[in-house]
Structure formats: C-alpha cells, structure tokens
Amino acid sequence: MREPITNRGDIRNELFETVRCFCACESDCAESVVFTHIRSGKNIFFVSVGDKKYKYEYALCPYEDRLEYVRYDLYTCKSALYCALSEYFGRKMPWGSLTGIRPTRVAARLLERGVPHEDIAARLCSDYFVSRDKAELTARIISVQNRTVGDRMSVVSGGGQYPPNNLVNLYVHIPFCPTRCAYCSFVSEGIEKKTWLLSPYAEALCREIRRTKAIIAEQNKKIFSVYIGGGTPTVLPPELLRSVLEAAYCEDAEYTCEAGRPDTIDEEKLRVMYQSGVNRISVNPQTLHDKTLQAIGRAHSSACFFEAYNIAARFGFVKNVDLIAGLEGETEDDFASSLCGVLALSPENITVHTLCLKRGSRNALCETEQNSHTEKMVNYSAGALSSSGYEPYYLYRQKQMTANLENIGWCKPNFLCVNNVTVMEETLPVYACGAGAISKLTLSGGRILRFANAKDVILYLREFEERIAKKELFYTTNC
Ligand code: SF4
C-alpha cells in the first residue's frame, strides 16, 4: 500500500485513507496512485492508478464560508479519487467515499441545509456513493437520535434550544486492564505489575474530578451524562471503585460505568456501583466462544460472562453487551450463535463492533487478511437485531476496520445511551479526567478544541498540579 503522489500535499492523509479502503494489505495495491487537482473555471481531477487514467470534473465551490469551502474541497477530491479507485478495482465500498467523517454527521448537515428526512438516504447514495443499506441505516439512526436525545436534553437543561449550551458530559478514564486484548490499542496498561499504582491513581483522579465539577458549577453548566470508561474501571478494588464513582456522581445525569471484562466484576463491585448511583453498565463478552476468547487474550470464559451478567441484571442496571464481528478464526455461524446467546438475555443495548486492525495491536503486526465473512456477519446482526425489536441509535467508524464496515449501537426503544450519542456526534463538550483522557470543547461553526491529559500514569501523577492547572485554563478561556 502506497501513499498517493499528489499536488495536494495538504490533504495527503485524507487521500491516503481513501486508498487504504481499497488496499487492505500491501499485496492488494502495488500500483502507484497519482492524484492531480487543477482549478480552471471548475475543479478538474486527473487520477492515474497503475497504467489507467481517469478524469473527473466538479463545479467550483458554491459556498463563501471558509469552513464550507474546506468541506466542499475535500468532498470533491475524495469523490474523484474514490470513483477512480472504484473503477480500477471494480469494487464499491459500503460507505462509498466517506472516510474520516461520521456518516450521521453528513446526514445531519444535509438536514440542516433543508434536505427532507425522506431524501437523506438517496442523497448519501448519490453524493457519497454509500450503499443503499448503509444509507438507510444512517437515516434510521438520525431519526432515532432526533426523536429521543433532544427531549432528554431539554428536560435536563430546563428547556431551551437543542442542543442546549449549558450542558456538558463528564468522562473519567481508568487506564488499566487485567490483560491486554490482541486487537487493542487504547490507552490501557496491564494490571499485573501496576497494582501499586491503583491507589495513588484513584486518589489523584478523585481530586481532578472534584476540581472539574467545581469548574462546571462555576460556569453555570449542568452535567448531562457521566461515563466511567477505560481500560476497565472494574479492575479497581471495591473501596477505590467506590471513591471514584462517588466523586463522579451527579444527580439527574445518566451514569454509565464500563464493566467490560466479566472477570473483573463480582457481586460486591456491582453493589458498590449500584450504591454509588450508576444506572448503566457494559458487560462485554465480545464472543461466546471460549476458544476465540483465549486466542484474543481475554482471561475469561463465556460462563464467566453469563455469571457476571446475571448478577448485574439482579441490580436492575440498564445493560449493554458488546460483540465483535470478524474475530480471527470465527465463522459466520460462530458469530450468529454468539448473537443468539446474547439476544436470549434480552439486554437493553447491544453494540456490534467490527474488528479493527489498529496500529500497535498484535493482530496488526502480523498483517491479517480481511475477514471476508465480516460483512455477512454485520448484515446478519442488522437483520436479527431489527427483528428482535432493537433500533440502531449510534454509529461510528474507525480507520482500518475490517471490510471497511462500522460499529453500531442498538437499543430497545427508549433505552438509548445519551452519552454515546452526544459524544459520537460531538453535540456537547466533554470534560475529561484521568490519564490519557481528552477534553473537548465545541465552538460555534462546529470547530472542536481538544486538551489531552498525560497518557502515562506515572507522568500523570508526577505532573498532576501543573497539567491540571493548564486544563482548567483551557476550560475557562475557551468557554
Ligand atoms: S478490555 Fe478494552 S481497553 Fe482493555 S485491553 Fe481489552 S480492548 Fe483494550
């Protein structure tokens, strides 16, 4: 796989993402791609792939606004490159020319420009070459989000416009896991040699949470949702877990705690979560096949998942269960039986992820071939979940996803997780605490400002005062 040769070096990375969609591994794409953009009364694109040459023309940008100009420029460049590659390889991608942007964001912009909801799917197909299925899925998601999230925001913010400008989300990061999954490149450290860090980390984190909440209160803002993520928050022993959960608790806010690794939860920790006000948890088997669990480095069995899930169900949490389509060695039947086993539990939320070959993960290092069954697995899940009464409510895509697919959160009606929607759609600011946590402020025009805490836990602790002071300045000067 090669970077394109181009006179548009300013968008080389974006162009490379499009090339990467067609060339999953190096052997797919030994040919060079040359992309030339000329503006001469219109936008003219010359694209050569190997010995084939293509030419496309688009009108000049009809918008005067700078941000719209940049979007249109990127849209035409990626469209031209996508068409050339699609022609050359004789293949279409499920999400067409959409890379590096959430399809729901594109659909929301179309709605803002006055395109009627019933035309959204058709516009995604015609303008971005999205497949009919995916375009309809996106339109469905937008309609579920609009139906639910605006109402909830209005209630929490005390009425007013959507999205209200006095709401924020609070995110708390616990960067430890019991073992490292083969496909993971999140900010997370294996726990075995780091147990001594848990107590000082939790203590510093609680201080950061309290200071962050104080700033939120000073700014006259309200916390819409709290999300404790990781890593695996439930790797903390009960007393430390309680201190963090109590520090982050906010009355009225949706309160989620990831309990992703079933081997880290037991009745005592679930009681701590319940008593600390958590109302949603995520228990994630990823697959119900023990052989795969072992192969991907997770230290639990499917029996362990069922046990943890059933205890969680007794406490009355709203439960999410994650599955991954495309795990190495799994057949379509394997995936279908995992989904069937999860559906039998009837959790309020099910999230279907597509295996993502991330840089830094062990899988990526050994150049895994794309799993040709993954698309069928994802399509199967959409049919099975829809016919079991679930609605798709959020969707996101990452770089290097198997078969260029997506992750989709499904929910039973009225059980959507507002944190997932507002974080993915970047509708609300995120005030984030913990090592590696990234705070985000949304400015007018949709521009996002970010502030990242130190990733390394020891650095986070060592430079705590200095960095937190900088973060507080970030919140106060940009609001
Ligand atoms: S549980 Fe999640 S964060 Fe932890 S190692 Fe596995 S994928 Fe990474």
Side-chain angles (χ1 to χ4, degrees):
M1 183 169 44
R2 295 187 192 171
E3 279 192 17
I5 300 161
T6 179
N7 64 345
R8 290 297 310 269
D10 56 320
I11 55 164
R12 190 187 306 276
N13 288 344
E14 288 84 349
L15 297 175
F16 193 28
E17 277 313 309
T18 304
V19 174
R20 244 205 285 254
C21 289
F22 287 87
C23 309
C25 35
E26 278 178 32
S27 55
D28 266 5
C29 206
E31 298 87 346
S32 57
V33 176
V34 182
F35 178 89
T36 310
H37 179 193
I38 293 166
R39 286 190 191 96
S40 172
K42 49 192 153 186
N43 285 299
I44 306 168
F45 299 97
F46 296 99
V47 187
S48 51
V49 189
D51 58 355
K52 295 262 171 38
K53 296 191 186 334
Y54 306 91
K55 180 182 173 194
Y56 301 94
E57 294 182 355
Y58 285 81
L60 290 176
C61 177
Y63 308 109
E64 282 181 10
D65 175 80
R66 173 83 196 137
L67 194 61
E68 289 296 343
Y69 179 89
V70 170
R71 283 179 187 149
Y72 182 80
D73 175 57
L74 200 56
Y75 156 72
T76 52
C77 290
K78 282 166 62 170
S79 297
L81 182 58
Y82 173 84
C83 289
L85 291 165
S86 179
E87 189 89 4
Y88 180 82
F89 286 104
R91 274 191 277 149
K92 290 182 175 156
M93 291 294 139
W95 289 101
S97 60
L98 290 180
T99 56
I101 180 159
R102 280 174 298 284
T104 43
R105 173 62 62 87
V106 176
R109 270 193 212 133
L110 290 171
L111 283 174
E112 278 162 26
R113 285 195 194 131
V115 176
H117 189 274
E118 57 275 20
D119 295 345
I120 292 294
R123 286 291 297 270
L124 289 173
C125 296
S126 64
D127 297 3
Y128 299 91
F129 317 105
V130 174
S131 74
R132 190 81 216 169
D133 283 1
K134 301 296 181 198
E136 279 169 3
L137 178 77
T138 308
R140 232 177 123 192
I141 290 173
I142 284 279
S143 122
V144 172
Q145 291 182 350
N146 287 349
R147 200 180 68 219
T148 323
V149 183
D151 289 352
R152 292 267 276 281
M153 281 185 176
S154 193
V155 170
V156 178
S157 69
Q161 82 278 30
Y162 167 74
N165 56 14
N166 65 339
L167 296 181
V168 302
N169 287 325
L170 177 66
Y171 176 73
V172 176
H173 192 70
I174 311 289
F176 304 100
C177 283
T179 54
R180 198 164 166 81
C181 304
Y183 50 81
C184 176
S185 67
F186 288 124
V187 183
S188 176
E189 309 204 17
I191 195 69
E192 320 87 54
K193 294 179 188 151
K194 305 275 178 166
T195 332
W196 63 277
L197 274 174
L198 295 182
S199 186
Y201 182 74
E203 192 269 325
L205 184 59
C206 288
R207 270 194 289 145
E208 189 186 1
I209 294 169
R210 281 192 281 269
R211 283 170 59 166
T212 305
K213 283 171 75 176
I215 289 183
I216 294 170
E218 273 163 29
Q219 292 179 330
N220 238 345
K221 294 183 188 294
K222 284 187 82 176
I223 295 178
F224 185 52
S225 70
V226 180
Y227 196 97
I228 315 288
T232 307
T234 40
V235 90
L236 294 176
E239 70 284 5
L240 296 183
L241 184 63
R242 185 185 293 280
S243 65
V244 173
L245 293 179
E246 287 182 351
Y249 172 76
C250 280
E251 214 178 336
D252 293 339
E254 175 187 274
Y255 195 178
T256 306
C257 180
E258 283 182 3
R261 299 285 286 260
D263 46 325
T264 60
I265 44 179
D266 55 22
E267 181 141 5
E268 188 183 0
K269 288 189 195 177
L270 287 162
R271 180 166 295 108
V272 166
M273 285 190 237
Y274 177 75
Q275 290 170 343
S276 311
V278 170
N279 43 40
R280 309 179 67 102
I281 66 165
S282 198
V283 190
N284 305 328
Q286 313 300 15
T287 168
L288 293 183
H289 299 283
D290 289 346
K291 208 171 133 205
T292 317
L293 285 169
Q294 230 177 14
I296 60 176
R298 288 175 72 95
H300 64 86
S301 61
S302 57
C304 173
F305 159 71
F306 283 116
E307 196 184 325
Y309 181 94
N310 287 329
I311 306 173
R314 290 209 294 275
F315 282 96
F317 296 110
V318 172
K319 299 164 295 305
N320 172 69
V321 173
D322 276 5
L323 286 175
I324 299 179
L327 287 169
E328 273 184 280
E330 290 217 333
T331 63
E332 288 152 50
D333 284 348
D334 291 334
F335 176 76
S337 74
S338 290
L339 181 59
C340 214
V342 167
L343 278 171
L345 297 170
S346 195
E348 292 81 1
N349 289 194
I350 297 177
T351 309
V352 178
H353 293 263
T354 298
L355 183 68
C356 190
L357 302 178
K358 295 172 182 173
R359 244 174 279 139
S361 74
R362 278 189 276 143
N363 275 341
L365 292 177
C366 55
E367 197 191 326
T368 312
E369 292 274 289
Q370 282 192 349
N371 186 338
S372 61
H373 305 300
T374 307
E375 193 161 1
K376 286 185 191 149
M377 293 177 185
V378 170
N379 290 344
Y380 171 81
S381 70
L385 285 156
S386 294
S387 58
S388 304
Y390 289 81
E391 297 177 317
Y393 80 95
Y394 82 104
L395 135 73
Y396 67 102
R397 300 177 64 223
Q398 294 157 284
K399 289 177 184 170
Q400 303 185 27
M401 300 192 83
T402 310
N404 249 317
L405 293 159
E406 68 282 330
N407 302 320
I408 300 185
W410 296 80
C411 65
K412 289 188 175 172
N414 302 321
F415 281 102
L416 142 171
C417 172
V418 291
N419 181 278
N420 285 338
V421 176
T422 51
V423 168
M424 283 305 155
E425 302 304 331
E426 294 176 332
T427 339
L428 294 181
V430 179
Y431 285 50
C433 302
I438 299 176
S439 297
K440 288 185 191 174
L441 299 180
T442 324
L443 303 185
S444 60
R447 206 156 66 90
I448 308 282
L449 289 183
R450 293 178 170 77
F451 184 96
N453 281 2
K455 270 188 192 177
D456 179 75
V457 174
I458 294 178
L459 198 62
Y460 169 80
L461 294 173
R462 195 185 299 147
E463 298 179 356
F464 183 82
E465 281 305 330
E466 188 190 325
R467 286 184 183 244
I468 299 308
K470 275 190 192 155
K471 191 184 74 162
E472 289 172 353
L473 197 63
F474 168 79
Y475 291 146
T476 45
T477 51
N478 291 303
C479 275

